[in-house]
């Protein structure tokens, strides 16, 4: 039996009400709580770069002066088993704002209730079961719908939902957005509609998602408006993180907030070479958004930006260890 279309012609769209979902507890997960890396316990390689210690000192100085440290990231920070490093930095007051995309919220949420996340996509896409997990889709969409009614943001709505339904989330202590919620740190999620598995669920309310993510955009604008003397870090979010930051920075400056003496750093696997040199449209690196929107353009009037090439499982633990030596 096939799903039904609604409307006709250019107005036609597919009805999701008959989408089949599956119990997430029956899924094999590629990432589990048992394999998370633990600060000061799990061995790791040390990241080396001639400017890395200078970045560390700027982060430490920002926090000593009570200036913000905004941590933007893609979902692979969680998939690389690094949640506990971020949670420890939230608890210690180092990270003052967490920002991510929809996938980041989903992997975090799944770890909290299931103790595992990250399905085997190549096999699941073959039969249409990819992303069709009942608990993830139903509970996250319920949380977001409740958040929209209350007029709160996407991240806060998820954190509140976990707090209010703690019996469903036995692994919540390893959930970044939950720890941000209980420690009063903004956690914002910047959603592209149609990109996340919870958008496939019959309970999905796109209007609620848009409303809550819209509030989160205004929240990150508030944090960026206070960024003078602070630090913006981006880990692997090559599109959402870079674009949201640039727009938030433009709004802050448009409204008269001084945001010129700032430090920015982008962490990714891509080698950009001399990333501060001017390049043209013919160079593929021109189209890598963080190069322009995080490292160079925001720091053109007195700031300093870096691009650090490296694996998150090396850069983040090293960053944490070095910060612990200074704070």
């Amino acid at each position: 039996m096939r799903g039904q279309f609604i409307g006709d012609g250019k107005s036609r769209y597919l009805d999701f009400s008959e989408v089949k979902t599956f119990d997430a507890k029956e899924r094999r997960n590629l990432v589990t709580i048992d394999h998370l890396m633990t600060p000061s316990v799990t061995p790791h390689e040390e990241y080396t770069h001639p400017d890395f210690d200078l970045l560390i000192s700027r982060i430490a100085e920002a926090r000593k002066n009570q200036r913000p440290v905004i941590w933007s990231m893609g979902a692979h920070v969680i998939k690389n088993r690094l949640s506990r490093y971020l949670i420890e930095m939230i608890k210690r007051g180092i990270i003052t704002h967490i920002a991510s995309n929809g996938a980041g919220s989903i992997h975090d949420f799944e770890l909290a209730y299931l103790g595992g996340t990250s399905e085997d996509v190549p096999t699941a896409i073959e039969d249409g079961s990819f992303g069709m997990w009942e608990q993830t889709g139903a509970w996250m969409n319920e949380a977001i719908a409740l958040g929209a009614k209350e007029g709160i943001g996407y991240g806060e709505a998820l954190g509140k939902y976990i707090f209010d339904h703690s019996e469903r989330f036995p692994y919540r202590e390893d959930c970044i957005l939950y720890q941000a919620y209980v420690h009063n740190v903004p956690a914002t999620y910047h959603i592209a509609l149609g990109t996340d598995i919870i958008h496939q669920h019959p309970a999905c309310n796109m209007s609620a998602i848009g409303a809550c993510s819209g509030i989160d955009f205004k929240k990150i604008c508030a944090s960026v408006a206070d960024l003078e003397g602070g630090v913006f870090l981006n880990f692997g979010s090559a599109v959402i993180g870079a674009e949201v930051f640039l727009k938030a920075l433009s709004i802050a400056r448009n409204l008269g907030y001084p945001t010129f003496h700032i430090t920015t750093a982008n962490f990714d696997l891509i080698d950009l070479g001399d990333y501060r040199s001017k390049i043209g449209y013919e160079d593929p690196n021109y189209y890598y958004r963080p190069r322009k929107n995080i490292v160079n353009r925001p720091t053109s009037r007195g700031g300093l930006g870096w691009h650090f090439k490296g694996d998150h499982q090396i850069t983040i633990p090293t960053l944490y260890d070095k910060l612990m030596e200074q704070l």
Side-chain angles (χ1 to χ4, degrees):
M1 179 179 176
R2 294 182 178 180
Q4 300 299 307
F5 291 102
I6 296 175
D8 54 28
K10 65 181 180 181
S11 299
R12 189 177 74 151
Y13 62 91
L14 197 58
D15 179 13
F16 287 8
S17 63
E18 298 299 321
V19 166
K20 297 183 292 293
T21 62
F22 306 91
D23 188 343
K25 294 178 181 178
E26 299 177 359
R27 186 180 76 194
R28 183 175 74 88
N29 298 295
L30 304 179
V31 178
T32 68
I33 289 288
D34 295 337
H35 297 101
L36 294 186
M37 295 177 68
T38 301
S40 305
V41 175
T42 306
H44 65 84
E45 291 183 45
E46 182 171 352
Y47 182 70
T48 58
H49 186 284
D51 290 342
F52 197 61
D53 285 342
L54 180 54
L55 171 65
I56 299 300
S57 67
R58 288 197 168 208
I59 296 171
E61 181 182 9
R63 292 312 299 134
K64 288 174 183 176
N65 294 331
Q66 298 186 344
R67 307 312 304 148
V69 173
I70 301 173
W71 185 293
S72 167
M73 64 179 184
H76 274 80
V77 171
I78 296 172
K79 293 180 71 172
N80 280 332
R81 307 181 292 120
L82 294 161
S83 298
R84 289 173 180 167
Y85 286 90
L86 278 68
I87 289 168
E88 193 62 26
M89 286 188 278
I90 289 171
K91 291 179 176 179
R92 291 176 178 266
I94 297 170
I95 295 175
T96 64
H97 187 124
I98 288 281
S100 190
N101 54 18
S105 70
I106 290 166
H107 289 304
D108 206 16
F109 190 91
E110 286 191 333
L111 279 178
Y113 84 80
L114 192 59
T117 190
S118 190
E119 61 189 290
D120 187 15
V121 178
T123 55
I125 195 63
E126 293 176 352
D127 62 3
S129 63
F130 165 60
M132 303 300 185
W133 307 110
E134 176 58 24
Q135 295 92 328
T136 304
W139 292 350
M140 289 190 71
N141 280 301
E142 181 183 13
I144 295 162
L146 289 170
K149 289 180 180 178
E150 295 182 36
I152 61 177
Y154 185 108
E156 185 177 356
L158 294 177
K160 184 177 186 298
Y161 187 87
I162 294 172
F163 184 85
D164 291 343
H165 300 83
S166 59
E167 72 284 354
R168 295 180 180 175
F169 299 92
Y171 308 102
R172 62 189 178 279
E173 295 302 320
D174 283 318
C175 176
I176 296 166
L177 67 86
Y178 172 77
Q179 292 290 354
Y181 178 79
V182 298
H183 287 90
N184 202 31
V185 170
T188 58
Y189 295 87
H190 307 280
I191 310 304
L193 298 180
T195 60
D196 300 325
I197 63 168
I198 66 169
H199 304 166
Q200 304 168 183
H201 195 276
C204 178
N205 182 334
M206 293 291 190
S207 297
I209 291 172
C212 288
S213 188
I215 291 171
D216 274 5
F217 178 60
K218 292 182 178 180
K219 283 187 174 185
I220 198 170
C221 287
S223 292
V224 170
D226 200 33
L227 196 58
E228 183 78 357
V231 180
F232 181 89
L233 306 171
N234 183 63
F235 290 84
S237 184
V239 178
I240 294 291
E243 293 296 341
V244 167
F245 177 57
L246 194 70
K247 276 64 175 185
L249 190 64
S250 182
I251 289 170
R253 291 175 176 176
N254 180 277
L255 294 174
Y257 291 93
T259 54
F260 299 107
H261 295 92
I262 64 175
T263 299
T264 65
N266 182 66
F267 292 80
D268 211 336
L269 293 172
I270 186 172
D271 186 353
L272 295 178
D274 182 7
Y275 54 85
R276 293 196 180 102
S277 65
K278 187 172 182 178
I279 56 176
Y281 298 145
E282 72 284 354
D283 190 324
N285 284 336
Y286 177 86
Y287 302 96
Y288 178 69
R289 287 170 173 83
R291 184 185 191 278
K292 298 177 289 185
N293 294 359
I294 293 174
V295 178
N296 292 326
R297 289 171 176 170
T299 60
S300 62
R301 290 184 55 187
L304 183 59
W306 286 285
H307 172 74
F308 294 104
K309 176 183 179 293
D311 190 310
H312 295 331
Q313 290 186 330
I314 301 172
T315 58
I316 291 175
T318 304
L319 181 146
Y320 173 85
D321 291 345
K322 288 180 175 290
L323 282 173
M324 291 305 101
E325 294 172 1
Q326 294 199 28
L327 291 171

